[in-house]
């Protein structure tokens, strides 16, 4: 599929606005799940590792399904996917209010809500990249702040709703708020290509009429024969009874020959339809082979291979603080009266600031976005190593702010991916990378929770988290040094006025 040159404005700013609110509404509760995490610990009495699976699934399952999400957006478009996903998120949150045990939450909150968020994230990122080129870093930074603002507001909102209406009432209200995603999705108008022919219908819709055997006019051979015979006989019998008998015999002879011809036509149509089905299946199989062949080509890129390892290790180590920081403070025996603001809210607001600043920096030509991303990884690893030494609310708040700002590198991650593989392979490559990010999100919090259940303290867990993030950052840095210039020049080979999404059409 070939799109016209991104307008870098116009309706694109409406796309940015609705994408911002879409991420705000869908990710607000899952990112601020640390507030609910404490309530679920008290309500169900399960271990920290087992309870942490709820939040990790909600934030990871959508990313794990990113290849499927990418195919859905490529096949159906951002608007239908966004509207459908809005129903998923709202329904999952409302069902979670009736959860009888932690295992029910794995499905309702973890899988249903998480998958809906993954579809919405892919839809918003894809349609924003279609509308923006020169200002893509700023646009992605703006829409990605929606989830961070949602984290900041929903952390305080859910705590207040729990105090007023209880845990069940909180989830029902938050689910009702998520229905506003439907209005946002309806405004995601696809970018049309000027001067290009309309998109072709699927192969099944283009089948000529002669390939279909069961027409209304062709009910059965026997019915056609009886109708013709009856009409012919009645017409002749009105004039002359003797002529009617003679004509009836003649009519039967003629219709018997017609019967043979129609049976031959019927067999021919069956053969043609069978051959068509075989060709269609063969074409689909070739498309799947092409998809996996292009996937292997992506992994031959050293930077891309290192990028998927880095994003996996970063999410294993960097995601748990946003889920468990409140419990870290409680485990450190910090008095709740010392809280000036929830730690999760600090992470959320600083993530917003980080996404904006990093997104703006990515638009400067003198800034190498890959090195900028590597810098955020290394600094995140160092901040995680410092958490075990924080024994007061002030130090935890400072570290929460630093981690939140560095987590804002999510705004430049699509930009880094585009520079690495080119815009024509963005949908394909981004879906693969988000799969590994989701794997890290799903494994990180339970691992940290298991470390606590094993050692009864968080120190060892955050040493492990910091090591993972530092390892991923160093691997990406080493892979980028010799071949970054070659990778950044890939997208310049495309025509100046169009951007081609080849992988999306073949997926």
């Amino acid at each position: 599929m070939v799109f016209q040159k991104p307008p870098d404005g116009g309706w694109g700013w409406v796309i940015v606005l609705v994408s911002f609110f879409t991420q705000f509404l869908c990710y607000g509760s899952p990112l601020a799940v640390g507030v609910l995490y404490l309530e679920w610990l008290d309500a169900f009495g399960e271990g920290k590792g087992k309870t942490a699976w709820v939040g990790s699934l909600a934030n990871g399952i959508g990313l794990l399904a990113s290849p499927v999400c990418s195919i859905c957006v490529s096949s159906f478009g951002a608007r239908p996917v966004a509207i459908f996903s809005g129903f998923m998120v709202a329904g999952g949150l409302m069902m979670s209010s009736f959860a009888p045990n932690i295992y029910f939450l794995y499905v309702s909150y973890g899988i249903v809500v998480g998958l809906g968020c993954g579809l919405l994230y892919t839809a918003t990122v894809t349609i924003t990249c279609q509308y923006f080129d020169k200002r893509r870093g700023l646009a992605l930074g703006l829409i990605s702040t929606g989830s961070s603002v949602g984290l900041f507001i929903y952390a305080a909102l859910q705590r207040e709703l729990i105090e007023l209406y209880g845990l069940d009432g909180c989830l029902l209200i938050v689910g009702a708020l998520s229905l506003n995603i439907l209005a946002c999705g309806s405004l995601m108008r696809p970018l049309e290509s000027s001067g290009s022919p309309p998109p072709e219908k699927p192969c099944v819709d283009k089948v000529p009429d002669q390939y279909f055997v069961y027409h209304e006019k062709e009910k059965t051979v026997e019915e056609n024969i009886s109708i013709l015979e009856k009409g012919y006989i009645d017409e002749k019998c009105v004039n002359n009874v003797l002529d009617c008998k003679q004509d009836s015999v003649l009519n039967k002879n003629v219709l018997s020959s017609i019967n043979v011809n129609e049976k031959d036509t019927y067999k021919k149509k069956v053969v043609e339809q069978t051959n068509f089905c075989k060709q269609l299946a063969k074409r689909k199989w070739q498309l799947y082979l092409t998809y996996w062949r292009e996937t292997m080509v992506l992994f031959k890129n050293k930077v891309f291979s290192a990028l998927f390892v880095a994003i996996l290790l970063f999410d294993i180590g960097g995601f748990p603080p946003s889920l468990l920081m409140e419990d870290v403070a409680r485990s450190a025996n910090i008095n709740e009266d010392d809280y000036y603001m929830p730690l999760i809210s600090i992470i959320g607001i600083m993530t917003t600031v980080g996404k904006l600043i990093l997104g703006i920096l990515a638009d400067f030509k003198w800034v190498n976005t890959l090195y900028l991303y590597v810098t955020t990884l290394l600094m995140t690893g160092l901040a995680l190593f410092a958490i075990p030494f924080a024994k007061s609310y002030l130090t935890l708040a400072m570290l929460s702010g630093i981690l939140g700002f560095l987590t804002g590198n999510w705004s430049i991650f699509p930009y880094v991916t585009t520079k690495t593989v080119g815009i024509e392979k963005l949908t394909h490559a981004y879906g693969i990378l988000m799969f590994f990010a989701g794997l890290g999100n799903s494994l990180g919090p339970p691992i940290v929770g298991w470390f606590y259940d094993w050692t009864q303290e968080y120190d060892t867990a955050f040493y492990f988290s910091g090591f993972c993030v530092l390892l991923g950052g160093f691997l990406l840095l080493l892979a980028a040094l010799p071949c970054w210039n070659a990778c950044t020049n890939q997208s310049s080979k495309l025509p100046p006025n169009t951007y081609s999404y080849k992988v999306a059409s073949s997926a």
Side-chain angles (χ1 to χ4, degrees):
M1 182 184 298
V2 178
F3 295 100
Q4 68 181 30
K5 182 179 179 180
D8 277 307
W11 191 259
W13 295 119
V14 178
I15 297 297
V16 170
L17 181 64
V18 297
S19 297
F20 171 89
F21 280 108
T22 297
Q23 294 202 15
F24 170 85
L25 293 167
C26 73
Y27 275 108
S29 179
L31 290 179
V33 73
V35 176
L36 304 176
Y37 172 74
L38 298 177
E39 299 297 324
W40 288 329
L41 281 175
D42 298 334
F44 300 115
E46 301 287 351
K48 296 181 185 294
K50 183 181 290 187
T51 307
W53 271 110
V54 180
S56 63
L57 284 174
N59 288 277
I61 197 70
L63 299 177
L64 281 171
S66 286
V68 178
C69 296
S70 299
I71 294 175
C72 290
V73 174
S74 300
S75 302
F76 303 106
R79 178 188 287 171
V81 170
I83 294 175
F84 175 77
S85 303
F87 281 112
M88 290 187 64
V89 174
L93 288 170
M94 292 180 181
M95 285 193 302
S96 298
S97 64
F98 303 100
N101 51 54
I102 199 69
Y103 302 103
F104 187 91
L105 287 173
Y106 288 166
V107 177
S108 62
Y109 197 96
I111 296 178
V112 177
V113 175
L115 185 58
C117 290
L119 288 167
L120 288 167
Y121 182 79
T122 305
T124 53
V125 168
T126 301
I127 196 169
T128 302
C129 287
Q130 292 174 6
Y131 269 87
F132 288 90
D133 178 25
K134 295 180 181 179
R135 299 177 179 175
R136 183 176 293 140
L138 175 61
L140 291 173
L142 288 173
I143 69 168
S144 62
T145 57
S147 58
S148 305
V149 174
L151 170 58
F152 173 71
I153 294 178
Y154 272 72
L157 176 63
Q158 290 185 148
R159 177 172 292 181
E160 188 67 22
L161 290 175
I162 289 172
E163 293 179 359
L164 294 175
Y165 305 105
L167 178 61
D168 298 342
C170 169
L171 290 170
L172 284 173
I173 294 173
V174 171
L177 289 174
S178 300
L179 290 173
N180 289 285
I181 296 173
L182 307 182
C184 295
S186 64
L187 295 174
M188 294 182 182
R189 187 173 66 193
L191 182 64
E192 300 293 342
S193 56
S194 59
S196 61
E200 295 183 354
K201 294 182 178 180
C203 297
V204 178
D205 296 338
K206 298 188 296 183
V207 180
D209 291 339
Q210 62 264 25
Y211 287 161
F212 293 97
V213 179
Y214 302 102
H215 294 290
E216 292 183 2
K217 297 180 181 179
E218 301 179 2
K219 298 177 181 178
T220 61
V221 175
E222 291 74 15
E223 288 181 358
N224 291 333
I225 294 174
S226 61
I227 292 172
L228 291 173
E229 184 178 3
K230 181 179 179 182
Y232 193 86
I233 293 174
D234 290 342
E235 183 180 358
K236 290 294 181 179
C237 288
V238 173
N239 298 327
N240 193 313
V241 176
L242 295 177
D243 293 340
C244 181
K245 293 180 179 180
Q246 295 176 357
D247 292 340
S248 296
V249 174
L250 179 62
N251 186 39
K252 289 181 179 180
N253 295 331
V254 173
L255 290 177
S256 62
S257 63
I258 295 176
N259 187 6
V260 175
N261 294 333
E262 290 195 0
K263 286 183 178 180
D264 293 339
T265 304
Y266 177 85
K267 294 179 180 179
K268 182 179 179 181
K269 290 177 181 178
V270 171
V271 173
E272 289 177 345
Q273 190 180 25
T274 303
N275 292 334
F276 169 75
C277 293
K278 291 180 179 179
Q279 293 176 359
L280 181 62
K282 182 178 180 180
R283 181 176 298 180
K284 289 292 183 181
W285 177 249
Q286 289 177 348
L287 289 178
Y288 291 131
L289 291 179
T290 301
Y291 179 85
W292 290 112
R293 194 179 301 116
E294 291 177 344
T295 301
M296 298 307 298
V297 171
L298 286 175
F299 279 99
K300 291 180 180 179
N301 185 330
K302 294 181 180 179
V303 177
F304 179 81
S305 299
L307 195 59
F308 95 84
V309 175
I311 192 65
L312 172 64
L313 295 176
F314 171 73
D315 280 279
I316 289 177
F319 176 67
S322 62
L323 176 62
L324 303 173
M325 191 61 78
E326 295 291 335
D327 193 51
V328 171
R330 187 167 72 172
S331 300
N333 298 321
I334 296 177
N335 192 350
E336 293 186 0
D337 296 334
D338 297 336
Y339 279 40
Y340 301 102
M341 183 184 296
L343 296 174
I344 297 179
S345 295
I346 295 175
I347 293 176
I349 194 63
M350 290 305 298
T351 302
T352 304
V353 176
K355 287 179 176 179
L356 284 174
I357 294 178
L358 294 174
I360 293 173
L361 287 176
D363 283 331
F364 289 106
K365 295 182 179 179
W366 51 270
V367 174
N368 189 311
T369 52
L370 181 62
Y371 292 154
L372 178 63
Y373 184 75
V374 170
T375 302
T376 60
L377 295 184
L378 299 179
M379 294 180 66
T380 300
L382 296 176
L384 290 170
F385 273 117
I387 289 179
F389 301 98
K391 302 300 180 182
S392 65
Y393 172 81
L394 181 60
T395 53
L396 281 176
M398 293 176 60
L399 289 173
S400 297
I402 294 172
L403 288 171
F405 180 86
L406 297 173
T407 306
N409 62 8
W410 273 105
S411 66
I412 64 173
F413 189 73
Y415 204 90
V416 172
T417 306
T418 304
K419 288 292 184 180
T420 303
V421 301
I423 187 67
E424 76 281 2
K425 297 181 180 178
L426 173 62
T427 304
H428 188 179
Y430 201 72
I432 296 173
L433 292 174
M434 288 301 99
F435 173 84
F436 289 100
L439 186 62
N441 273 353
S442 300
L443 295 177
I447 290 175
V448 172
W450 290 330
F451 269 114
Y452 183 90
D453 293 335
W454 177 39
T455 62
Q456 295 302 309
E457 46 87 15
Y458 279 112
D459 294 355
T460 306
F462 283 107
Y463 289 144
F464 170 79
S465 298
F467 172 78
C468 288
V469 177
L470 285 176
L471 178 62
F474 280 119
L475 288 176
L476 182 58
L477 178 62
L478 292 175
L481 289 177
C483 58
W484 172 244
N485 292 331
C487 295
T488 56
N489 292 330
Q490 286 183 353
S491 60
S492 62
K493 298 179 182 179
L494 294 172
N497 296 327
T498 59
Y499 287 87
S500 174
Y501 286 76
K502 298 178 182 177
V503 178
S505 62
S506 65

